[in-house]
Amino acid sequence: ETGVTQSPTHLIKTRGQQVTLRCSSQSGHNTVSWYQQALGQGPQFIFQYYREEENGRGNFPPRFSGLQFPNYSSELNVNALELDDSALYLCASSLRNVLNTEAFFGQGTRLTVV
Amino acid sequence: AQSVTQLDSQVPVFEEAPVELRCNYSSSVSVYLFWYVQYPNQGLQLLLKYLSGSTLVKGINGFEAEFNKSQTSFHLRKPSVHISDTAEYFCACLIQGAQKLVFGQGTRLTINP
């Protein structure tokens, strides 16, 4: 058990809708990263948040956006959902420290777009 | 750009046999290397990591990996597997000071009795 919790665990949405996924980071961790894992693929980096600001972004369109709150929890928002957005969305928390590069992952949110 | 290649998409082995899961990375700068395991319908769990120092790294559940800079490899090994090791295994790299983990495509390890 890593202490990183994500909600909901499963979600079904219709194409064109918007979705918000949530992540509570491990106690003491100040950095949250989001990854998309399509079926049969490795996770792909979406973006990272540190001190409530986006701190690095992968190759994802602007309709993928996020927030980080003062308690370091985070949200991933996806607008105008497309069928290809169906995937497992993983949140990872870490401590931004040059000596500590370990990220702890949550169990993920499985999003299905129909 | 960095990339990670896992050379085998599936590896079937018999219980109590040894196993090696292969991983090669490409980067022009120094990286940290990781192996994660993913059980069905679960997130990722860290097996082991290489940051610096000894090139042989020991992790949880009896796994170990060896960093080979000249061959840009970080292969994962276990001398004797158990049914419970059935899972998807991901190799990943992180540029020192950067934000994102770059993952390979994964290797599905199937243990047959």
Side-chain angles (χ1 to χ4, degrees):
Chain A
E1 188 95 4
T2 64
V4 179
T5 58
Q6 293 186 242
S7 62
T9 56
H10 296 83
L11 199 55
I12 299 175
K13 288 286 189 178
T14 302
R15 188 171 48 183
Q17 285 188 313
Q18 178 266 343
V19 69
T20 297
L21 310 182
R22 295 178 174 82
C23 172
S24 294
S25 59
Q26 180 151 315
S27 177
H29 283 186
N30 56 16
T31 302
V32 174
S33 303
W34 286 91
Y35 291 81
Q36 181 196 66
Q37 185 180 13
L39 198 62
Q41 303 291 318
Q44 299 287 318
F45 176 75
I46 302 175
F47 44 54
Q48 183 182 90
Y49 276 82
Y50 171 64
R51 291 186 176 179
E52 303 177 50
E53 292 193 1
E54 189 178 290
N55 180 51
R57 188 178 183 92
N59 189 26
F60 281 82
R63 60 189 185 85
F64 285 78
S65 63
L67 285 172
Q68 186 181 32
F69 300 99
N71 66 354
Y72 304 126
S73 66
S74 177
E75 288 182 354
L76 164 65
N77 299 290
V78 187
N79 293 321
L81 283 166
E82 300 177 0
L83 296 179
D84 285 348
D85 295 332
S86 295
L88 181 68
Y89 288 85
L90 295 165
C91 163
S93 79
S94 57
L95 185 61
R96 191 171 178 85
N97 179 324
V98 69
L99 298 178
N100 184 337
T101 57
E102 181 171 349
F104 292 91
F105 285 82
Q107 82 284 4
T109 294
R110 174 129 352 245
L111 172 65
T112 303
V113 182
V114 298
Chain B
Q2 297 68 44
S3 65
V4 174
T5 302
Q6 291 183 242
L7 298 162
D8 305 293
S9 59
Q10 296 187 62
V11 173
V13 295
F14 288 106
E15 193 171 15
E16 297 183 7
V19 69
E20 178 180 81
L21 306 184
R22 297 180 294 168
C23 172
N24 285 91
Y25 69 93
S26 173
S27 175
S28 57
V29 297
S30 296
V31 298
Y32 300 131
L33 294 162
F34 305 80
W35 275 98
Y36 285 88
V37 60
Q38 186 175 38
Y39 299 104
N41 301 313
Q42 298 289 316
L44 300 174
Q45 180 182 5
L46 182 68
L47 277 178
L48 48 78
K49 60 185 176 184
Y50 172 77
L51 303 182
S52 65
S54 173
T55 57
L56 183 62
V57 180
K58 293 189 183 297
I60 63 171
N61 301 342
F63 284 94
E64 63 181 32
E66 185 154 20
F67 170 62
N68 188 319
K69 188 173 182 179
S70 62
Q71 297 186 9
T72 60
S73 68
F74 190 55
H75 301 333
L76 180 70
R77 301 185 184 99
K78 185 169 182 177
S80 176
V81 295
H82 188 266
I83 291 284
S84 60
D85 293 323
T86 297
E88 190 89 19
Y89 291 79
F90 292 95
C91 181
C93 75
L94 178 72
I95 300 172
Q96 294 178 19
Q99 303 93 350
K100 68 175 183 179
L101 284 163
V102 176
F103 287 87
Q105 296 285 80
T107 297
R108 182 171 299 278
L109 177 62
T110 305
I111 312 300
N112 299 307

